[in-house]
Amino acid sequence: MRLASVAEAVAAIPDGATVAVDGFTLMGVAEALYEGIEQAFRATGHPRDLVIVHAAGQSNRMIGFEHFAVEGLARRIVGSHWGLMPKMSSFLGAGLAEAVCLPQGQLSSLYRAIAAGRPGNLTRIGLGTFVDPRIEGGKVNQPARDHAPDYVTIQAVDGQEFMLYRSFKIDVGIFRASAVDDDGNCSMDEEAVMLDALAIAQSAHNSGGLVICQAKKLVARGAIAPRQVVVPGALVDLAVQAPDPERQHRQTDGAFFDERYIAASTGAELPRAEFSTRLAIGRRAIRFLHEGDIVNIGTGIPGDSVGPALAEAGLSDRITLTVESGVYGGVPAGRVDFGITAHPTAIIPHASQFDFYNGGGLDATFMGAGQVDREGNVNVSRLGGRIIGAGGFIDITQSARLVCFCFTLEGSHEKFVDRVDQLTFSAEQARRNKQQVLYVTERAVFRLEPDGVALIEIAPGLEIKDVLDQIPFRVSVHQPMAQMPEDIFRPTVADFTLPPRAAGKIRMSKGR
């Protein structure tokens, strides 16, 4: 390992290199190096024509991955989500670089496949969505369709279809660490998430590439206990201390360092919320859970309402909340700090969390929806022509036993459409997977059935026609029609309990 300045590290990145970068919102983002790459390109024209790979979205709408939205710097972006990157989203929408969108969990896992010399990831995740090569192959703009290689193919194993996410060479791996010692050993003791640092370093090293670590602080040899080493020094070529850590190495967007994001607490409680339409949606949604369920909650309405609904009902300790970044328990942060929790109970590597998700470990997930069509398909990845990406949405919604989409029926944008603009969630695949799929709104609840979407509940005081008039296609109607619980629309809800788990799904008690 050699210590280097930001300028020296950036100068070592070859033109045309495939560069893998770590991060989740602003957690784990090597901001000093990202900033240095942009400044070097603007000043010298190098490095240029990069293929930049990122598993999760990495920005707070201003910095982070936004540094790469410069024409000529990046030739291709291979990532999962650009929802918090207005510049990059517009950049890719304008065709200024090739845009390839792959599921977050598959990209995270792919680093390990590359490191191990495997041909890629073989999985069912992505079948029937826009990532399926028979639909879009993840190529979400015209330059990608014209020039990008095929990152996914269909493979048959024992007569069943699988997606093969193909391995590729990584020329440069960039990650960050809380501390780096004289031998290059890296610890993440002050980082809020673990993410993909080790896998990126291993994959770049085994590809014959360059490994660069941004350090918050430099420490003496032996100062990092062996069990605290996340990336061994043998894998690190260059270490760069962030010149301005308060700005370039923040633990989160909102905090330079906050002990709550890495420390356990027995008293952590989910936040409460004032009564609102969103809270009513969350209140209805949580009543589909069972005691002991392991749950993932997405951003938007689910993130704003499901946790508070559980908290006010005194049920926070009856289920386990997880975040795809690798976090268990605690009080989830939101918006640009999505991905972390205050007082987590566990933090595991990014890819390990998706291994658990993809293997069917999730009992339920609550997700938002941009569009829902007559077949029950959902789009969250391309809205109003804007390239947003799927993030972990495809991994999670194709593997959870219960998928509950939470959204408002009334609003400035029509949610029910004849056909979605992009297939982020495949209703057909969900039926094949025998998943339970619900669509919870403030006016009605719908369920995915073999022949499409069915209306199963309406809000008190509404007529069925009031709901059907807002849907541009035919839905089946259950008779007699059930009514949504009246108390979810009141300032204070009635007491209720979650039903027990089905036989064969018993998990350890959480202290009661």
Side-chain angles (χ1 to χ4, degrees):
M1 185 275 293
R2 178 172 68 86
L3 291 177
S5 67
V6 171
E8 289 170 335
V10 171
I13 300 173
D15 291 346
T18 295
V19 182
V21 295
D22 201 20
F24 193 115
T25 54
L26 275 193
M27 282 76 76
V29 171
E31 172 65 16
L33 290 166
Y34 290 20
E35 187 178 78
I37 290 170
E38 179 187 3
Q39 291 175 350
F41 177 77
R42 291 188 182 280
T44 69
H46 304 283
R48 63 180 301 108
D49 297 325
L50 302 177
V51 176
I52 306 178
V53 184
H54 64 110
Q58 301 176 15
S59 185
N60 64 349
R61 297 191 177 94
M62 294 179 289
I63 56 175
F65 208 86
E66 291 283 65
H67 287 295
F68 304 138
V70 183
E71 190 171 4
L73 190 161
R75 170 169 56 91
R76 181 184 311 134
I77 302 295
V78 181
S80 69
H81 196 255
W82 306 289
L84 288 177
M85 305 180 203
K87 284 199 302 184
M88 180 57 73
S89 179
S90 298
F91 182 78
L92 298 176
L96 299 179
E98 302 163 28
V100 177
C101 184
L102 302 178
Q104 180 177 332
Q106 299 312 306
L107 280 167
S108 178
S109 300
L110 197 56
Y111 296 140
R112 299 197 302 193
I114 295 167
R118 296 192 294 267
N121 292 341
L122 194 64
T123 176
R124 291 187 178 89
I125 299 299
L127 287 170
T129 72
F130 73 89
V131 183
D132 191 313
R134 296 163 297 194
I135 300 176
E136 295 183 60
K139 300 175 183 181
V140 294
N141 69 1
Q142 195 58 48
R145 290 187 282 273
D146 291 342
H147 304 294
D150 294 333
Y151 283 86
V152 288
T153 61
I154 298 294
Q155 298 286 323
V157 178
D158 295 333
Q160 297 186 54
E161 287 186 342
F162 290 84
M163 300 265 285
L164 176 65
Y165 292 82
R166 302 168 69 174
S167 292
F168 48 84
K169 181 181 177 182
I170 294 178
D171 302 303
V172 180
I174 294 175
F175 69 96
R176 83 177 198 190
S178 301
V180 176
D181 72 12
D182 291 336
D183 293 324
N185 295 310
C186 306
S187 80
M188 296 193 170
D189 56 301
E190 294 186 357
E191 303 293 335
V193 281
M194 292 181 67
L195 300 179
D196 299 309
L198 176 59
I200 286 175
Q202 289 177 329
S203 60
H205 181 275
N206 287 359
S207 294
L210 178 73
V211 178
I212 307 173
C213 174
Q214 174 182 304
K216 184 178 183 179
K217 57 188 175 183
L218 302 176
V219 297
R221 179 179 290 111
I224 303 173
R227 286 186 181 276
Q228 297 302 114
V229 173
V230 175
V231 179
L235 303 179
V236 179
D237 297 301
L238 299 176
V240 176
Q241 185 172 19
D244 183 1
E246 283 274 358
R247 183 176 62 83
Q248 298 169 324
H249 203 119
R250 300 179 64 77
Q251 185 188 42
T252 78
D253 179 62
F256 172 62
F257 176 71
D258 190 327
E259 183 77 19
R260 294 178 302 164
Y261 296 129
I262 60 171
S265 168
T266 57
E269 181 60 74
L270 293 172
R272 305 298 178 93
E274 296 293 327
F275 175 74
S276 65
T277 296
R278 288 181 169 225
L279 183 59
I281 293 171
R283 287 170 168 178
R284 181 62 194 99
I286 66 170
R287 298 190 190 192
F288 291 107
L289 290 173
H290 294 79
E291 185 165 346
D293 278 350
I294 298 177
V295 178
N296 169 277
I297 299 177
T299 58
I301 289 178
D304 293 343
S305 67
V306 171
L310 287 166
E312 70 176 4
L315 298 171
S316 302
D317 63 347
R318 297 294 187 169
I319 58 95
T320 298
L321 289 182
T322 68
V323 186
E324 55 263 37
S325 59
V327 176
Y328 281 73
V331 180
R335 303 184 187 277
V336 294
D337 277 348
F338 175 74
I340 56 172
T341 67
H343 303 302
T345 58
I347 302 172
I348 68 173
H350 195 200
S352 297
Q353 186 76 303
F354 275 105
D355 286 345
F356 177 73
Y357 285 3
N358 292 165
L362 274 178
D363 296 297
T365 184
F366 298 92
M367 290 284 183
Q371 294 177 323
V372 180
D373 70 16
R374 64 171 59 247
E375 296 177 12
N377 300 314
V378 176
N379 168 33
V380 298
S381 50
R382 181 190 293 154
L383 297 169
R386 182 175 170 228
I387 295 176
I388 299 170
F393 182 97
I394 294 175
D395 300 91
I396 295 165
T397 60
Q398 285 202 327
S399 55
R401 296 180 183 89
L402 166 66
V403 181
C404 188
F405 296 108
C406 302
F407 56 97
T408 54
L409 188 57
E410 296 183 337
S412 56
H413 303 286
E414 290 188 358
K415 291 298 177 71
F416 283 103
V417 297
D418 190 63
R419 183 174 294 277
V420 294
D421 293 341
Q422 190 165 59
L423 262 170
T424 334
F425 172 80
S426 166
E428 180 182 359
Q429 193 64 29
R431 293 187 190 98
R432 290 175 180 169
N433 294 342
K434 295 181 171 53
Q435 294 169 278
Q436 181 184 7
V437 181
L438 298 163
Y439 311 82
V440 177
T441 77
E442 81 284 16
R443 296 175 69 84
V445 178
F446 305 84
R447 183 169 61 210
L448 182 66
E449 298 196 340
D451 58 349
V453 177
L455 174 63
I456 62 171
E457 292 182 7
I458 59 172
L462 291 184
E463 300 292 335
I464 292 175
K465 185 177 183 296
D466 297 331
V467 174
L468 297 184
D469 284 349
Q470 298 186 58
I471 302 175
F473 52 82
R474 180 188 173 279
V475 299
S476 60
V477 177
H478 277 220
Q479 295 291 355
M481 177 57 56
Q483 180 176 282
M484 298 172 73
E486 288 189 13
D487 65 301
I488 69 171
F489 299 101
R490 300 174 186 158
T492 303
V493 294
D495 290 337
F496 70 97
T497 58
L498 296 177
R501 299 174 59 81
K505 295 293 182 183
I506 298 173
R507 292 202 176 98
M508 291 181 64
S509 165
K510 297 184 70 181
R512 286 196 176 183

